[in-house]
Amino acid sequence: MEGTIGEIRIFAGNFAPLAWSFCDGSTLSISGNEALYALIGTTYGGDGVQTFNVPDLRSRIPVGTGQGPGLPQMILGQVGGAETAVMSSNQMPAHTHMGTGTVSIPAYSLADTAGSPTNAELAGLTGAYSTETADTSLKPETSTVNLAAAGQGIPFSIIQPYTSANYIICVEGIFPTRN
């Protein structure tokens, strides 16, 4: 499987073919891989004296370098993104949660001067709480309230749907020419 040194391909196999290596962040020896080191250097890690790293594309997708319209500058070897996120209330659009409720207190227009009124009877004089006949309710009241913040700050997945495959990098092959 001939390739150009430094070329990255998607490979459906569960092994890296001869002259290729998985893009798994592995550390390689410079002395055994001079051509690949000449192309990628320590862009993806390594000490630059004895070792360098291949790109780590496990659980990642490659993106092009440069800057697209409305996007940030992407530099070769830059790593970013996250598999989960926690949304704070500061990241949500301004909004309110409204709740309404109606309270209706039953009352009798009969007098009950007992120290501990029972059922729906309110202590007081006849007609003190209602001019209606017995077994009515006080005037219903409706109130609108703002509800407290909700949520638990638990991270949630932001991974798009995917099919897993291997990325491989050519470590032995055709050395690319500049032109």
Side-chain angles (χ1 to χ4, degrees), residues 51 66-67 128 136 143 151 161:
T51 64
Q67 184 171 10
T136 66
S143 179

Side-chain angles (χ1 to χ4, degrees), residues 89-117:
S89 57
N90 290 338
Q91 294 168 310
M92 294 180 195
H95 70 286
T96 56
H97 295 255
M98 302 301 287
T100 59
T102 301
V103 177
S104 182
I105 302 171
Y108 288 93
S109 62
L110 301 175
D112 185 352
T113 56
S116 297

Side-chain angles (χ1 to χ4, degrees), residues 13-14 22 31 42-43 51 55-56 68 72 74 84 88 95 98 101 114 127 142:
N14 62 357
F22 284 122
S31 63
T42 57
T43 301
T51 64
D56 190 352
M74 295 294 184
T84 61
S88 71
H95 70 286
M98 302 301 287
T142 301

Side-chain angles (χ1 to χ4, degrees), residues 21 37 40 43 45 55 57 67 78 112 115 119 122 133 143 150 161 165 169:
S21 178
Y37 177 73
I40 68 172
T43 301
L57 291 173
Q67 184 171 10
Q78 180 179 346
D112 185 352
N119 297 326
L122 297 173
T133 58
S143 179
I169 186 169

Side-chain angles (χ1 to χ4, degrees), residues 64-83:
T65 60
Q67 184 171 10
L71 298 173
Q73 175 74 20
M74 295 294 184
I75 301 166
L76 188 64
Q78 180 179 346
V79 176
E83 294 179 3

Side-chain angles (χ1 to χ4, degrees), residues 8-73:
I8 293 177
R9 292 184 187 174
I10 295 177
F11 183 65
N14 62 357
F15 63 94
L18 184 64
W20 294 77
S21 178
F22 284 122
C23 290
D24 60 2
S26 295
T27 301
L28 301 180
S29 167
I30 294 172
S31 63
N33 300 281
E34 295 91 356
L36 181 59
Y37 177 73
L39 295 171
I40 68 172
T42 57
T43 301
Y44 305 99
D47 64 15
V49 177
Q50 295 180 353
T51 64
F52 70 104
N53 293 3
V54 295
D56 190 352
L57 291 173
R58 296 172 297 176
S59 294
R60 302 221 171 254
I61 60 166
V63 297
T65 60
Q67 184 171 10
L71 298 173
Q73 175 74 20

